[in-house]
């Protein structure tokens, strides 16, 4: 498949976005993620990829667990909050109802979520 064919195919796909949250060493972080998927049935595994340019990536390098929040159409404000701001400049969790589970901040507004534990660290194949 040529590069332009790949780009055209990817433009037609509409992957669901999720908000991923984590914490390490007293720092909370979260971001909007488009690259994620179930990766095994038995045992059940889930993969997510964080951009190296993202504050959540740097916190996530030291984290053991991550919250994966599956968004609905009603969650556009959360998607905008976690996708357009940087945790280096603002507290993305300010004003939100958050519960901590194993120190991972879980967004109460997103009941469709899972808490995943890291079993692998790094796939350095992209940005």
């Amino acid at each position: 498949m040529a590069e332009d064919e790949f780009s055209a195919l990817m433009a037609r796909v509409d992957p669901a976005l999720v908000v991923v949250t984590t914490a390490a060493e007293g720092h909370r972080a979260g971001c909007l993620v488009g690259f994620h998927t179930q990766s095994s049935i038995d045992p059940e595994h889930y993969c997510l990829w964080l951009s190296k340019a993202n504050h959540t990536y740097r916190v996530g390098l030291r984290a053991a667990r991550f919250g994966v929040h599956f968004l609905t159409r009603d969650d556009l404000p959360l998607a905008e909050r976690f996708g357009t701001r940087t945790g280096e400049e603002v507290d993305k969790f300010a004003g939100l109802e958050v519960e901590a589970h194993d120190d991972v901040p879980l967004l109460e507004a997103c009941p469709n979520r899972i808490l995943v534990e890291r079993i692998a660290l790094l796939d350095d194949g992209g940005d």
Side-chain angles (χ1 to χ4, degrees):
M1 178 177 287
E3 184 175 331
D4 57 332
E5 291 172 320
F6 179 79
S7 296
L9 177 61
M10 291 299 104
R12 290 191 302 269
V13 177
D14 187 17
L17 298 175
V18 296
V19 170
V20 172
T21 59
T22 194
E25 300 170 357
H27 298 281
R28 299 187 301 183
C31 64
L32 192 65
V33 171
F35 301 108
H36 60 97
T37 190
Q38 180 179 350
S39 60
S40 177
I41 295 172
D42 187 18
E44 296 171 331
H45 287 169
Y46 202 85
C47 287
L48 56 99
W49 292 265
L50 302 174
S51 169
K52 291 181 236 175
N54 196 301
H55 174 71
T56 304
Y57 170 82
R58 290 184 289 286
V59 174
L61 286 174
R62 301 181 310 277
R65 292 175 184 77
F66 299 82
V68 181
H69 302 79
F70 297 89
L71 304 176
T72 68
R73 285 187 169 94
D74 297 331
D75 296 321
L76 180 59
L78 281 175
E80 289 176 340
R81 173 187 288 244
F82 282 90
T84 62
R85 301 176 183 179
T86 176
E88 294 170 331
E89 296 175 3
V90 300
D91 178 1
K92 295 182 187 183
F93 300 94
L96 296 178
E97 301 270 338
V98 177
E99 68 177 86
H101 185 62
D102 292 332
D103 292 329
V104 176
L106 299 177
L107 307 174
E108 291 188 15
C110 292
N112 297 320
R113 62 185 183 228
I114 58 174
L115 185 66
V116 298
E117 186 171 348
R118 176 197 309 280
I119 59 172
L121 179 60
L122 189 61
D123 172 7
D124 201 27
D127 62 3

